[in-house]
Amino acid sequence: MIVDSVSGTTRDPVDSQCSFEGRDILLVDTAGIRRRGKVSRKIETFSIVSALKSIERADVTLLIIDAEEGVTEQVTKIAGYANERRKSLVIVMNKWDLVKKDGITQKEVKEEVYDSLGFINFAPVIFVSAVTGHRVPQIFENILRVHEQYVRRIQTSDLNTILQLIVNQHPPPSKSGRPTKVYYGNQVSVAPPTFVFMTNNPEKTNFAYERYVSNQFRFHFGFEGTPLNFIWRKKKSTHSKKPGKRS
């Protein structure tokens, strides 16, 4: 373990078992990743690697941001890694008590965070102070709520009702003038929720259309704080060749 009197030097993750509202939670406390120049490159690299290993173990990732500093390059990297590993997320703005408000609101700060971290704009943002304890219980409330969404299953009939509504409102791009059809969908796994959609033209469901479907799923089903995986597959033809005439 690396320990020093300088704040932010402890680098080994620490596991802590706790309970909230009758639910057991294992907290993996990783060291803060400080800006380059405040610590050596070696310590910075070690802390990042430690944080990434902890993310691999997690179901819910708490992205803790120093409210005085805002979104830094290191924060963006960690957020990107957690999203790539398809972990659910809660964004925690710590040290909110130290921020000079000067008319700035939490809504405005939240918008700034989403502007910088648009790829995880599905994650809730909460404002706390670890020193004073202000709103700290909200961290645990969000952990439980987001995890519930992370392992949530949608009934197939409800899924397909909403899927057809979404497709009818805004069909996928066509191919050479031929309409792209989405026939049906199934949820195949959780953590994160993963859906398979059968279509006649899977290659035309591009990133923009996936984002549209994702936004609509969140509108109808929730899924706060959790990434969604979509898999588009070509529906096999059910038509068979007619048998030839017998001689």
Side-chain angles (χ1 to χ4, degrees):
M1 177 177 288
I2 304 174
V3 180
D4 193 87
S5 59
V6 177
S7 175
T9 306
T10 302
R11 286 292 172 260
D12 286 335
V14 178
D15 289 7
S16 301
Q17 189 80 35
C18 64
S19 179
F20 183 78
E21 295 183 351
R23 300 278 298 277
D24 291 331
I25 299 173
L26 177 64
L27 294 176
V28 182
D29 183 15
T30 62
I33 301 172
R34 301 174 70 80
R35 288 185 296 180
R36 192 171 297 168
K38 290 191 175 183
V39 294
S40 70
R41 180 183 292 272
K42 186 175 182 179
I43 291 179
E44 180 197 29
T45 301
F46 188 90
S47 63
I48 291 175
V49 171
S50 176
L52 299 186
K53 288 182 178 179
S54 296
I55 289 173
E56 294 285 358
R57 298 172 55 196
D59 293 311
V60 180
T61 300
L62 298 177
L63 185 64
I64 300 178
I65 301 174
D66 187 322
E68 290 187 296
E69 294 186 353
V71 178
T72 63
E73 180 183 352
Q74 290 89 340
V75 166
T76 303
K77 287 180 180 178
I78 295 299
Y81 189 87
N83 189 50
E84 287 174 3
R85 292 299 182 271
R86 314 310 282 162
K87 303 295 183 177
S88 56
L89 281 153
V90 177
I91 301 172
V92 182
M93 301 297 293
N94 190 27
K95 302 182 182 179
W96 181 244
D97 56 311
L98 300 181
V99 175
K100 294 181 180 179
K101 306 306 186 288
D102 294 333
I104 191 170
T105 65
Q106 291 184 5
K107 181 181 179 181
E108 291 170 333
V109 173
K110 186 182 296 186
E111 289 174 352
E112 290 178 1
V113 170
Y114 286 153
D115 284 342
S116 300
L117 302 173
F119 56 93
I120 57 167
N121 61 4
F122 54 82
V125 180
I126 58 178
F127 298 81
V128 307
S129 170
V131 172
T132 67
H134 182 61
R135 293 180 176 171
V136 168
Q138 286 190 6
I139 296 176
F140 297 94
E141 292 168 3
N142 276 271
I143 288 173
L144 296 183
R145 184 169 67 250
V146 165
H147 183 261
E148 182 179 322
Q149 297 299 307
Y150 193 53
V151 297
R152 183 182 178 192
R153 281 193 178 273
I154 303 298
Q155 191 171 7
T156 302
S157 58
D158 294 338
L159 167 64
N160 282 284
T161 297
I162 296 302
L163 178 62
Q164 291 308 313
L165 176 65
I166 292 171
V167 172
N168 289 338
Q169 287 178 342
H170 180 37
S174 60
K175 180 180 181 181
S176 301
R178 182 185 176 190
T180 297
K181 299 178 181 179
V182 181
Y183 300 104
Y184 59 87
N186 287 302
Q187 183 174 359
V188 295
S189 64
V190 298
T194 301
F195 303 88
V196 173
F197 302 127
M198 305 306 294
T199 174
N200 64 328
N201 191 21
E203 64 270 18
K204 294 303 292 184
T205 50
N206 53 29
F207 173 77
Y209 195 75
E210 275 205 358
R211 183 170 56 185
Y212 161 72
V213 175
S214 177
N215 290 338
Q216 290 297 309
F217 264 47
R218 296 187 191 284
F219 176 78
H220 290 284
F221 297 123
F223 289 123
E224 182 184 24
T226 184
L228 301 175
N229 285 346
F230 296 141
I231 301 170
W232 304 85
R233 289 181 180 165
K234 187 174 181 63
K235 184 176 183 289
K236 294 181 180 180
S237 175
T238 56
H239 298 292
S240 57
K241 294 182 179 180
K242 293 182 179 181
K245 292 183 179 180
R246 294 182 179 179
S247 56

Short mmCIF file of all heavy atoms in Angstrom, two decimals, residues 65-68 93-99 128-130:
data_model
loop_
_atom_site.label_atom_id
_atom_site.label_comp_id
_atom_site.label_asym_id
_atom_site.label_seq_id
_atom_site.Cartn_x
_atom_site.Cartn_y
_atom_site.Cartn_z
N ILE A 65 -16.75 13.45 -8.95
CA ILE A 65 -16.12 14.62 -9.55
C ILE A 65 -15.97 15.72 -8.51
O ILE A 65 -16.91 16.01 -7.76
CB ILE A 65 -16.96 15.14 -10.74
CG1 ILE A 65 -17.12 14.04 -11.81
CG2 ILE A 65 -16.34 16.39 -11.35
CD1 ILE A 65 -18.06 14.43 -12.94
N ASP A 66 -14.80 16.30 -8.45
CA ASP A 66 -14.57 17.46 -7.59
C ASP A 66 -15.35 18.63 -8.17
O ASP A 66 -15.05 19.10 -9.27
CB ASP A 66 -13.07 17.78 -7.54
CG ASP A 66 -12.73 18.87 -6.53
OD1 ASP A 66 -13.52 19.83 -6.41
OD2 ASP A 66 -11.67 18.78 -5.89
N ALA A 67 -16.36 19.10 -7.45
CA ALA A 67 -17.24 20.14 -7.98
C ALA A 67 -16.49 21.44 -8.25
O ALA A 67 -16.91 22.25 -9.09
CB ALA A 67 -18.39 20.40 -7.01
N GLU A 68 -15.38 21.66 -7.55
CA GLU A 68 -14.59 22.87 -7.78
C GLU A 68 -13.81 22.78 -9.09
O GLU A 68 -13.57 23.79 -9.75
CB GLU A 68 -13.63 23.12 -6.62
CG GLU A 68 -14.31 23.53 -5.32
CD GLU A 68 -13.31 23.92 -4.25
OE1 GLU A 68 -12.53 23.05 -3.83
OE2 GLU A 68 -13.30 25.10 -3.86
N MET A 93 -21.21 14.74 -7.74
CA MET A 93 -20.47 16.01 -7.64
C MET A 93 -20.18 16.26 -6.17
O MET A 93 -21.05 16.69 -5.40
CB MET A 93 -21.30 17.15 -8.23
CG MET A 93 -21.68 16.97 -9.69
SD MET A 93 -20.25 16.90 -10.80
CE MET A 93 -19.63 18.58 -10.66
N ASN A 94 -18.94 15.98 -5.77
CA ASN A 94 -18.54 16.14 -4.37
C ASN A 94 -18.01 17.56 -4.12
O ASN A 94 -17.67 18.28 -5.05
CB ASN A 94 -17.47 15.10 -4.03
CG ASN A 94 -17.18 15.05 -2.54
OD1 ASN A 94 -18.04 15.36 -1.72
ND2 ASN A 94 -15.97 14.67 -2.18
N LYS A 95 -17.95 17.94 -2.85
CA LYS A 95 -17.48 19.27 -2.42
C LYS A 95 -18.39 20.39 -2.93
O LYS A 95 -17.94 21.51 -3.17
CB LYS A 95 -16.04 19.52 -2.88
CG LYS A 95 -15.03 18.49 -2.39
CD LYS A 95 -13.62 18.84 -2.84
CE LYS A 95 -12.62 17.80 -2.39
NZ LYS A 95 -11.24 18.12 -2.85
N TRP A 96 -19.67 20.06 -3.07
CA TRP A 96 -20.62 21.07 -3.55
C TRP A 96 -20.71 22.24 -2.57
O TRP A 96 -21.01 23.38 -2.95
CB TRP A 96 -21.98 20.44 -3.76
CG TRP A 96 -23.03 21.37 -4.27
CD1 TRP A 96 -24.18 21.76 -3.65
CD2 TRP A 96 -23.03 22.05 -5.54
NE1 TRP A 96 -24.89 22.63 -4.43
CE2 TRP A 96 -24.21 22.83 -5.61
CE3 TRP A 96 -22.15 22.08 -6.62
CZ2 TRP A 96 -24.54 23.62 -6.71
CZ3 TRP A 96 -22.46 22.87 -7.72
CH2 TRP A 96 -23.64 23.62 -7.76
N ASP A 97 -20.41 21.97 -1.29
CA ASP A 97 -20.47 23.03 -0.27
C ASP A 97 -19.37 24.08 -0.47
O ASP A 97 -19.49 25.20 0.02
CB ASP A 97 -20.34 22.42 1.12
CG ASP A 97 -19.07 21.59 1.28
OD1 ASP A 97 -18.80 20.75 0.39
OD2 ASP A 97 -18.34 21.78 2.27
N LEU A 98 -18.30 23.73 -1.20
CA LEU A 98 -17.19 24.66 -1.39
C LEU A 98 -17.32 25.50 -2.66
O LEU A 98 -16.55 26.44 -2.87
CB LEU A 98 -15.86 23.88 -1.45
CG LEU A 98 -15.50 23.06 -0.21
CD1 LEU A 98 -14.17 22.36 -0.42
CD2 LEU A 98 -15.46 23.94 1.03
N VAL A 99 -18.29 25.16 -3.49
CA VAL A 99 -18.45 25.88 -4.75
C VAL A 99 -19.10 27.24 -4.50
O VAL A 99 -20.12 27.34 -3.81
CB VAL A 99 -19.31 25.06 -5.74
CG1 VAL A 99 -19.59 25.86 -7.01
CG2 VAL A 99 -18.61 23.76 -6.08
N VAL A 128 -23.25 16.43 -3.49
CA VAL A 128 -23.06 16.05 -2.09
C VAL A 128 -21.84 16.75 -1.51
O VAL A 128 -21.05 17.38 -2.23
CB VAL A 128 -22.87 14.52 -1.95
CG1 VAL A 128 -24.00 13.76 -2.62
CG2 VAL A 128 -21.52 14.08 -2.51
N SER A 129 -21.70 16.59 -0.20
CA SER A 129 -20.48 17.00 0.50
C SER A 129 -20.09 15.87 1.43
O SER A 129 -20.80 15.57 2.39
CB SER A 129 -20.69 18.29 1.30
OG SER A 129 -19.58 18.53 2.15
N ALA A 130 -18.97 15.21 1.13
CA ALA A 130 -18.52 14.10 1.97
C ALA A 130 -18.12 14.60 3.36
O ALA A 130 -18.25 13.87 4.34
CB ALA A 130 -17.35 13.39 1.30
#
